[in-house]
Amino acid sequence: MPVEKVLIAVLGSDRPGIVAAVSRVLSENECNIEDVSQTILQSEFAGVFMASLPKGLSMEALESRLQEHLKPMDLSVLIKPVRLSIRYEPPPSQPFVVTTIGPDRLGLVAGITEVMARFGVNITNLRAAFRGGTDPRRNVMIYEVDIPLHIDQQAFRKALRQRAQDLGLDLSLQHRDIFEAIHRV
């Protein structure tokens, strides 16, 4: 079965021109970029591109062309097929934002996400910045999550708050609409 879409991960030291280099190779090979997410983690670039392949171009050929152009920039490339038939179908849910603030230590992400996983809460976006030091405001995690309507939300909130307390974190849980209204400038 031919691959129609691919997911391309690009990692390496951040510098200007990475997105331009990746998108140029994709454009030259007639791959349509359908989705992109990129960020800078301290000094490292991490980008994920979802692209469709034109007929006649294999995933392996595209990977080879990406490697050829990106390896001189000391960038790593991972490419995988997107199987549309294997797709997570989320239950009806509501979008929320969970924010934690507190001193950096081992296990913060694992501790919070374990509770989310136990209740079937899906993380749709996560931003965590750990800058260390004694100022807890320098260590912030922001989770965008979908909370299924069928779970016991009181039990979830209680378990999440207890875990945050155990980890020494201040936690906020808000419906995304409220979060956005409060943080709108």
Side-chain angles (χ1 to χ4, degrees):
M1 179 178 215
V3 174
E4 295 177 2
K5 291 186 183 189
V6 291
L7 197 61
I8 304 158
V10 178
L11 304 170
S13 295
D14 186 40
R15 72 178 69 99
I18 295 174
V19 174
V22 174
S23 59
R24 184 181 63 245
V25 173
L26 295 175
S27 177
E28 288 172 355
N29 287 279
E30 299 180 6
C31 298
N32 185 38
I33 298 173
E34 297 184 4
D35 216 343
V36 177
S37 181
Q38 73 111 110
T39 191
I40 308 301
L41 302 171
Q42 296 183 7
S43 63
E44 293 295 308
F45 174 90
V48 181
F49 301 75
M50 181 178 287
S52 59
L53 297 179
K55 290 185 178 180
L57 178 65
S58 71
M59 183 178 77
E60 293 77 15
L62 177 61
E63 183 172 20
S64 175
R65 292 170 190 166
L66 284 164
Q67 295 283 2
E68 176 186 334
H69 287 86
L70 301 180
K71 196 164 182 97
M73 297 175 73
D74 200 26
L75 296 170
S76 299
V77 177
L78 172 68
I79 185 168
K80 73 172 277 301
V82 174
R83 305 276 184 225
L84 297 177
S85 60
I86 304 170
R87 189 175 185 164
Y88 169 70
E89 291 296 332
S93 56
Q94 289 281 321
F96 281 78
V97 177
V98 176
T99 305
T100 66
I101 299 173
D104 189 16
R105 61 183 270 198
L106 286 174
L108 295 179
V109 175
I112 295 298
T113 57
E114 184 280 325
V115 174
M116 293 176 178
R118 185 165 19 109
F119 282 86
V121 172
N122 191 35
I123 301 168
T124 58
N125 194 13
L126 167 61
R127 175 90 180 145
F130 303 103
R131 301 292 183 251
T134 57
D135 183 354
R137 292 170 297 183
R138 293 179 49 85
N139 304 301
V140 179
M141 295 185 287
I142 301 172
Y143 301 85
E144 292 180 45
V145 299
D146 287 338
I147 299 178
L149 297 177
H150 70 271
I151 70 165
D152 181 344
Q153 292 200 16
Q154 292 290 348
F156 171 65
R157 287 173 184 267
K158 183 177 177 182
L160 195 59
R161 291 191 189 288
Q162 182 60 55
R163 182 61 56 86
Q165 184 178 347
D166 294 346
L167 294 168
L169 298 171
D170 290 333
L171 181 136
S172 167
L173 172 64
Q174 297 173 309
H175 193 280
R176 188 171 60 203
D177 293 345
I178 294 170
F179 180 86
E180 289 174 351
I182 290 172
H183 294 89
R184 189 170 296 137
V185 178

